[in-house]
Amino acid sequence: MVKVIDFKDKVVVVTGAGGVLCGYLATEFAKAGAKVALLDLNQEAAQTYVDQILEAGGHAKAYESNVLDKANLEQVRKTILADFGAVDILVNGAGGNNPKATTDNEFHEVDLPEDTNSFFDLDEAGISFVFNLNYLGTLLSTQVFAKDMVGRPGANIINISSMNAFTPLTKIPAYSGAKAAISNFTQWLAVHFSKVGIRCNAIAPGFLVTNQNRTLLFDNEGQPTARAHKILNNTPMGRFGEAEELVGGVFFLADENLSSFVNGVVLPIDGGFSAYSGV
Ligand code: NAD
């Protein structure tokens, strides 16, 4: 028998929860009865979502947190333990790209103008930043929070991969590689924790408009860029996704009744983008 989704009294930790997608997910978890810890470098941004959750009668708290600083994460874990109790569900949402790890052009050409940021100009620090934020940030957060999840009924981890983990997108080699690593790590964790009751899955969102990609998708006048047109042409459903369209997939993966035997999957939520060859 299919059971109703219910996260009542589950403790959910969401990293990157000051951002558009994870702030939205955190709010939805709270609406579904969870006690939600919203972690972000930008505590103010996370607090905005917390204010809305509290106003609606939910349980949530914002924590200033850096997913690349293990000592800070350990400290935050202790505070959450005191505030809400042990973690049941971890959403590793902190992630993103960096302009220094992005080429100006899709294809390299001879005689590019001198001011072009080509593959050969990509900045090592920018590339490390992207790999660290997406991969290491997910790994460190999992090290810290999964400890309390060992043997906890229904415990699970949700990572955020991306379309470019399946096939890399042009211009963003570091972000594509880092998200491919996240998909791989999701499978690794699913296997590694399989004997102690922690499931690990990921979602791979297609193209949703957020702060991270707004300037790539719209020009100063708010019109879709050439890249945005290309994305829409390659998304069979012909539109960008909305944050709310991630919720069903995330809830399915996080719910111990609905997906108790689902482990190590990367679920595309992409309007068909990853299924389409473009022909
Ligand atoms: P966003 O930029 O709106 O939010 C990211 C949040 O992470 C920000 O609030 C930022 O302050 C926080 N953050 C950055 N560095 C941090 C650190 N070191 N420690 C803690 N927090 C940190 O981005 P978003 O679009 O909401 O993305 C959320 C996740 O979804 C990311 O992992 C992103 O890569 C992934 N994703 C987004 C899309 C999309 O279309 N927007 C598609 C696929 C995957």
Side-chain angles (χ1 to χ4, degrees), residues 22 24 28 44 104 130 159 187 204 215 240 268:
C22 290
Y24 194 91
E28 291 298 312
E44 235 173 86
D104 283 347
V130 174
N159 293 331
Q187 294 177 313
T215 53
F240 292 110

Side-chain angles (χ1 to χ4, degrees), residues 131 134-135 161 165 175-187:
F131 268 92
N134 291 280
Y135 184 76
S161 184
Y175 186 62
S176 296
K179 287 300 190 185
I182 288 296
S183 292
N184 186 282
F185 185 50
T186 300
Q187 294 177 313

